Amino acid sequence: MRFEWLTHLLSIQWRVSLPLFCLFGLSQAESGTTDEAGLDFYERRIRPVLVKHCYECHSANAKSIQAGLRLDSTSAIRVGGDSGPVIDPGRPNQSLLVDAVSYSGDVSDMPPSGKLPKRLVEDIRKWIAMGAPLPDDDSPHGPQPRKSVPIEQGRTFWSFQPLKVQKLPDVTMRNWPERPLDRFVLRKLEDHGFQPASSAKRRTYIRRVSFDLIGLPPTLEEINRFVSDRSENAFERLIDRLLASPHYGERWSRHWLDVARYAEDNPTSEDTCRPPLYPWPYRDWVIRSLNDDTSYDEFVRRQLAADLMSELAPAQVAATGFLGISPVYHKEPRLSAQVISVIAADEWDERLDTVTRGLLGLTVACARCHDHKFDPIRMEDYYALAGVMASTQLVEWPLVETSLAEATALTQTREAIVDYEQRVNYAEQMQTAAQIEQRPGEVYEMLVQKHQETLDALKQRALFTGPIANAVRDAGVWVDGRDPDWTVMEYRAGEPRDLPIFIRGNPNNHGKVVRRRFIEVLSNDPPRPFHQGSGRLELADAVFTDAQALAARVIVNRIWGWHCGQPLVRTPSNFGAQGDRPSHPKLLDNLARRFVAHDWSLKWLHREILLSATYRQGSRGHNETKGQTADPENRLLWKMNRLRLDPEVWRDAVLAVCGRLDPAMFGKSENLDEYDNRRRTIYGRVSRQTNSSVLQLFDFPDGKRHVDRRILTTTPVQQLYFLNSPFLLQHSALLSENCDHATSAAVQQLFLTILLRRPDGDELENVENLLDSASSRQTGLQLLAHSLLASNEFLFVD
């Protein structure tokens, strides 16, 4: 049966044919953005491992280079050693380096001092799977040390400049601009001898903007109403209607959840690891906040510090899931305090990186081991912010209808019980009450004196029967290694912590202590120390005062990129010296400045972009040959980029056209691979270990770290999914069963339902041939429905 389907599908030669262009070809990246991400991954995740664990025997400074292998330069890594190449780019399972660090027994186990932690081995595998990207620099010891960038010089960098009023440029095509941003686009086009593409047809525009804003296709009725509406404000009314839809928050929350590396479990699955079991309240909070058009500055403040904002209702603390759902790695208590300290420091590093790259577009995490090589960021800046993370505990927060103070007290009770149970577990393992007494601690001693019935009574409180969210609270985090047999994490509520500089990034080798504060280069005055608890609220305020211009540019650039297919700055999370420069700097500043002036309203920003003549362009330029030759990446914006639907949007669209989409909002996530799951994909379970098949195949981001933009790929496996997935087969069968089986009526109905248009003459002829050759009319109609659901016309947006 599968071969029959394949034969029929390959025989259909029309413009809505399946995207089978590389069904039997090699994997092909559709974007050239992987290099920067890959090199960043190498510098942050791989090079430090090589330096620490391999250079002693495999570098130019080694007393004797073992096995003829050096790992301290690009060419040396690629050449390999006496046994040949140690990496096979793109194929970790065929790479000797992976065999060695995995202790597989096929080659000598490396490093000989002991196997690397599992997460480091997985990082090496991932790096090789990415193609093993390496820097161009080939000096014997990697990039040579550079002098750090002076602060005053750094303040002159373009992204750190205040937002200035930008005069609207003069243009020749005076009737073309619809919004101020169009003048900046048109001026650059005219300067380069281009003219903008013709406006997209109304049917194309409403489909584009519907997928863009709510992630669902328009209905035929909505299309016809918009096409026939010739009033002056027809476009404005369309945009306002879509922005008012509750589906807007569902669509745009997914964009933000990429930035926040949202997931519902942890990278490690040991039972003793406390996983984030209640992440969906954060997802639901994001949806509600976007629908309410919460100003962007307030949107971020709450995510960093809602628990410290006394004016908020306790339910708003779900916003701190931005930090509360951070990846947490298993900390086996039998490991030494030194090992646990490294794991804890890596977790703080990940949170700091998500905050600074996500909100400020700065790679502050590169200053963990030394001053930033390219940007004016010092190690002191890094550890000042790392101290904020080390003063913040991940907790389970009760979503109860009560005061913020009462909710805080309930959370403290919960955490005290968790602490008590961990110590009881330790006592049971140690088999002696004497060892319990050797572990002092105010909370522990308070609880251990109480009878077990008291503990049981505590567990009956509302905290443990109502909804819970992963959140954070102010509590200093320490690694308690006083007992050599049992290492525990110690949390001291209300006691923030200033970190020392970790020399060479090693948390067991301390330098001077750094007060918690904001980044110096972004501070208007010498940065003032944080005094309010962990400093999270002061950090949030600094983002929108001292760093206001940078924060505005970063989010405006992200929104532009999500709408137009490519951002103005092609490195959305790196606005530093190693990042891209904006293609339209004056446009970016003009839009960012007006965004701030309009109270950081995201809906205002959507309207401004979507109602522009730039966005309304068609996806074919007036002179495609010239455009593809002179500006193949469309940096000048001489047309609209043709975009492939995200896997979430594509799945939702299939459910919508089949009439199966469940409109219920919010609540616990469900398995996307279940046929009975008819809810929007935003409510599907997202894993840091194994995702559903459709998410895995279609470039869903890695939930273990912040993602600045999705990298689209086209692979043969994706095409086979379109041919054979039960999801498509079941829904094409459903569509064929529900249509009128009279040939012409059925075909018309399927085209209108799926592609929102009628078939033309050539398509009708091809379809009739298909139906005649099928084993039955029902089979032929199902095959037609399958073809349309998997077609380029359905999968792409013009």
Side-chain angles (χ1 to χ4, degrees):
M1 182 65 176
R2 297 291 173 89
F3 288 108
E4 178 187 357
W5 283 83
L6 179 60
T7 301
H8 282 307
L9 289 172
L10 289 174
S11 70
I12 301 175
Q13 301 294 328
W14 54 33
R15 67 173 179 239
V16 299
S17 62
L18 264 173
L20 296 173
F21 43 83
C22 80
L23 178 58
F24 303 111
L26 298 175
S27 300
Q28 170 186 330
E30 292 182 3
S31 170
T33 61
T34 56
D35 287 348
E36 190 228 345
L39 290 176
D40 178 70
F41 187 83
Y42 171 76
E43 294 292 352
R44 297 189 61 244
R45 296 280 182 172
I46 306 303
R47 189 194 290 274
V49 175
L50 300 180
V51 171
K52 182 176 181 180
H53 298 284
C54 306
Y55 275 23
E56 183 179 355
C57 300
H58 300 289
S59 71
N61 284 341
K63 293 181 180 178
S64 175
I65 299 176
Q66 301 297 310
L69 174 64
R70 279 179 49 191
L71 296 172
D72 60 340
S73 77
T74 294
S75 61
I77 293 174
R78 297 230 182 268
V79 169
D82 296 341
S83 299
V86 295
I87 58 170
D88 188 348
R91 305 173 67 191
N93 292 336
Q94 282 71 46
S95 298
L96 294 179
L97 180 60
V98 172
D99 288 341
V101 298
S102 300
Y103 275 46
S104 65
D106 296 332
V107 296
S108 298
D109 295 335
M110 293 293 164
S113 58
K115 186 178 180 180
L116 296 175
K118 180 180 178 182
R119 60 193 178 82
L120 298 185
V121 175
E122 289 304 310
D123 280 345
I124 292 173
R125 292 182 62 88
K126 180 176 180 179
W127 170 64
I128 295 175
M130 295 166 72
L134 288 161
D136 294 334
D137 187 288
D138 201 40
S139 55
H141 307 289
Q144 296 300 305
R146 300 168 184 250
K147 292 182 180 179
S148 56
V149 180
I151 295 296
E152 289 307 316
Q153 176 185 331
R155 287 193 171 119
T156 65
F157 192 66
W158 76 267
S159 64
F160 301 155
Q161 299 303 299
L163 295 171
K164 299 177 182 178
V165 176
Q166 301 292 338
K167 180 182 178 181
L168 296 182
D170 292 330
V171 294
T172 302
M173 297 177 61
R174 295 175 180 269
N175 293 330
W176 186 76
E178 296 285 347
R179 285 291 189 270
L181 70 87
D182 292 323
R183 300 273 290 270
F184 296 96
V185 173
L186 183 57
R187 177 58 183 268
K188 181 156 282 195
L189 287 173
E190 291 178 344
D191 287 346
H192 287 79
F194 278 82
Q195 61 175 316
S198 300
S199 296
K201 294 180 179 179
R202 286 200 171 197
R203 287 180 176 275
T204 300
Y205 179 84
I206 187 175
R207 184 174 186 267
R208 177 193 298 171
V209 80
S210 294
F211 275 125
D212 214 344
L213 279 182
I214 66 173
L216 294 170
T219 64
L220 277 173
E221 180 184 358
E222 290 168 342
I223 292 175
N224 293 333
R225 187 188 311 130
F226 176 64
V227 169
S228 61
D229 184 356
R230 294 299 165 179
S231 61
E232 291 184 358
N233 61 349
F235 286 85
E236 286 85 350
R237 286 211 307 272
L238 171 63
I239 299 302
D240 287 343
R241 176 177 65 79
L242 293 172
L243 286 173
S245 168
H247 298 312
Y248 157 73
E250 292 176 319
R251 172 58 185 142
W252 277 81
S253 65
R254 184 59 259 176
H255 288 309
W256 182 256
L257 295 180
D258 282 4
V259 174
R261 40 81 172 106
Y262 175 83
E264 308 193 20
D265 57 9
N266 274 306
T268 50
S269 58
E270 288 84 350
D271 292 338
T272 51
C273 178
R274 290 181 61 187
L277 297 176
Y278 312 99
W280 48 88
Y282 171 66
R283 175 205 63 205
D284 292 350
W285 178 88
V286 173
I287 294 172
R288 290 187 174 98
S289 295
L290 293 175
N291 278 334
D292 293 342
D293 198 22
T294 302
S295 63
Y296 177 69
D297 57 341
E298 185 69 10
F299 179 70
V300 169
R301 281 192 180 96
R302 295 182 185 184
Q303 291 183 72
L304 290 178
D307 59 309
L308 305 177
M309 302 168 71
S310 58
E311 69 275 15
L312 297 180
Q316 287 293 311
V317 177
T320 63
F322 181 74
L323 295 174
I325 62 169
S326 302
V328 175
Y329 290 88
H330 177 54
K331 304 175 187 68
E332 170 54 51
R334 294 180 181 84
L335 293 174
S336 69
Q338 289 76 19
V339 173
I340 297 294
S341 294
V342 172
I343 297 174
D346 287 349
E347 291 176 351
W348 300 333
D349 178 87
E350 187 281 329
R351 290 163 206 164
L352 183 156
D353 186 54
T354 296
V355 169
T356 54
R357 288 209 297 152
L359 306 180
L360 298 171
L362 292 179
T363 55
V364 176
C366 292
R368 176 176 176 176
C369 305
H370 47 70
D371 289 348
H372 201 292
K373 297 293 182 63
F374 305 100
D375 298 334
I377 299 170
R378 304 284 182 266
M379 289 182 72
E380 288 84 352
D381 292 318
Y382 175 91
Y383 287 98
L385 295 182
V388 175
M389 303 305 155
S391 302
T392 302
Q393 180 189 4
L394 276 59
V395 297
E396 293 167 357
W397 180 269
L399 297 176
V400 292
E401 295 296 331
T402 182
S403 68
L404 188 64
E406 177 64 17
T408 301
L410 289 173
T411 301
Q412 291 173 342
T413 300
R414 167 70 173 175
E415 295 308 315
I417 292 172
V418 170
D419 181 72
Y420 173 83
E421 291 174 335
Q422 288 178 338
R423 295 176 189 273
V424 168
N425 180 41
Y426 165 75
E428 291 174 349
Q429 297 214 19
M430 295 296 102
Q431 297 289 311
T432 168
Q435 288 172 309
I436 297 179
E437 297 173 359
Q438 295 172 10
R439 300 185 58 77
E442 181 179 346
V443 174
Y444 169 63
E445 289 183 350
M446 175 190 74
L447 287 174
V448 80
Q449 293 170 4
K450 295 183 179 293
H451 194 270
Q452 183 65 39
E453 292 179 358
T454 304
L455 181 62
D456 292 339
L458 287 172
K459 290 185 176 181
Q460 298 303 314
R461 299 185 69 170
L463 171 61
F464 305 105
T465 59
I468 295 174
N470 289 107
V472 296
R473 69 165 179 171
D474 271 6
V477 183
W478 278 265
V479 177
D480 183 352
R482 288 172 290 178
D483 188 326
D485 299 317
W486 194 261
T487 303
V488 296
M489 301 300 296
E490 184 177 1
Y491 304 98
R492 303 176 190 172
E495 184 177 343
R497 181 182 181 189
D498 288 326
L499 287 179
I501 287 178
F502 297 160
I503 298 175
R504 295 186 179 179
N506 181 358
N508 300 299
N509 189 2
H510 292 179
K512 69 176 183 179
V513 174
V514 181
R515 292 291 302 276
R516 286 163 291 115
R517 59 167 174 79
F518 195 48
I519 301 167
E520 183 176 0
V521 74
L522 295 176
S523 301
N524 293 327
D525 301 307
R528 297 177 297 277
F530 294 155
H531 296 288
Q532 302 173 21
S534 64
R536 283 182 285 116
L537 185 55
E538 292 163 288
L539 170 60
D541 288 339
V543 168
F544 294 100
T545 53
D546 293 352
Q548 180 189 92
L550 179 59
R553 289 186 181 105
V554 168
I555 188 59
V556 167
N557 185 62
R558 291 194 194 281
I559 300 290
W560 183 282
W562 288 326
H563 276 309
C564 300
Q566 66 174 359
L568 299 170
V569 178
R570 287 179 295 181
T571 53
S573 295
N574 188 353
F575 274 49
Q578 289 295 96
D580 187 36
R581 300 299 185 269
S583 59
H584 297 71
K586 292 183 179 181
L587 183 159
L588 178 59
D589 271 24
N590 173 272
L591 206 51
R593 190 174 187 277
R594 292 192 296 128
F595 172 58
V596 175
H598 283 82
D599 298 322
W600 302 84
S601 168
L602 292 171
K603 288 191 176 182
W604 175 88
L605 184 57
H606 290 308
R607 290 188 188 94
E608 201 66 10
I609 295 173
L610 300 179
L611 291 172
S612 69
T614 302
Y615 181 87
R616 290 192 197 179
Q617 290 182 100
S619 58
R620 287 193 61 83
H622 283 293
N623 192 330
E624 280 285 325
T625 302
K626 176 182 177 180
Q628 293 299 334
T629 302
D631 183 26
E633 294 182 332
N634 192 26
R635 295 286 283 160
L636 296 176
L637 303 172
W638 47 277
K639 66 175 181 177
M640 186 62 179
N641 293 304
R642 192 167 188 247
L643 302 176
R644 193 177 81 186
L645 295 179
D646 293 338
E648 307 97 305
V649 177
W650 176 81
R651 177 183 176 275
D652 293 347
V654 172
L655 290 172
V657 300
C658 293
R660 295 191 70 241
L661 187 65
D662 183 351
M665 298 178 68
F666 310 125
K668 190 174 180 179
S669 302
E670 300 176 12
N671 185 356
L672 290 175
D673 285 332
E674 295 292 335
Y675 176 73
D676 290 336
N677 182 1
R678 300 186 293 113
R679 302 189 67 197
R680 291 200 68 169
T681 312
I682 189 67
Y683 304 114
R685 193 169 297 123
V686 177
S687 174
R688 291 187 171 113
Q689 298 178 53
T690 304
N691 268 317
S692 69
S693 57
V694 67
L695 297 184
Q696 288 185 67
L697 286 174
F698 293 95
D699 311 306
F700 193 78
D702 183 354
K704 292 192 288 294
R705 54 184 56 87
H706 159 84
V707 175
D708 62 352
R709 62 184 301 188
R710 296 193 181 185
I711 307 300
L712 296 182
T713 62
T714 302
T715 71
V717 178
Q718 293 170 355
Q719 316 309 323
L720 292 173
Y721 174 87
F722 282 122
L723 288 172
N724 299 300
S725 76
F727 178 77
L728 266 184
L729 292 173
Q730 291 162 346
H731 284 86
S732 58
L734 179 64
L735 283 170
S736 65
E737 291 168 2
N738 291 339
C739 67
D740 187 343
H741 287 184
T743 304
S744 59
V747 170
Q748 296 276 350
Q749 186 177 346
L750 287 176
F751 267 79
L752 286 170
T753 300
I754 300 172
L755 300 184
L756 303 173
R757 66 171 178 83
R758 298 180 186 278
D760 62 26
D762 290 340
E763 289 169 338
L764 279 175
E765 182 179 351
N766 281 317
V767 170
E768 289 171 0
N769 291 335
L770 169 66
L771 296 178
D772 290 340
S773 64
S775 57
S776 68
R777 188 175 299 267
Q778 179 65 36
T779 298
L781 290 173
Q782 181 178 352
L783 178 56
L784 173 61
H786 188 175
S787 303
L788 298 180
L789 289 175
S791 67
N792 281 337
E793 186 169 337
F794 189 77
L795 184 61
F796 283 80
V797 176
D798 285 324

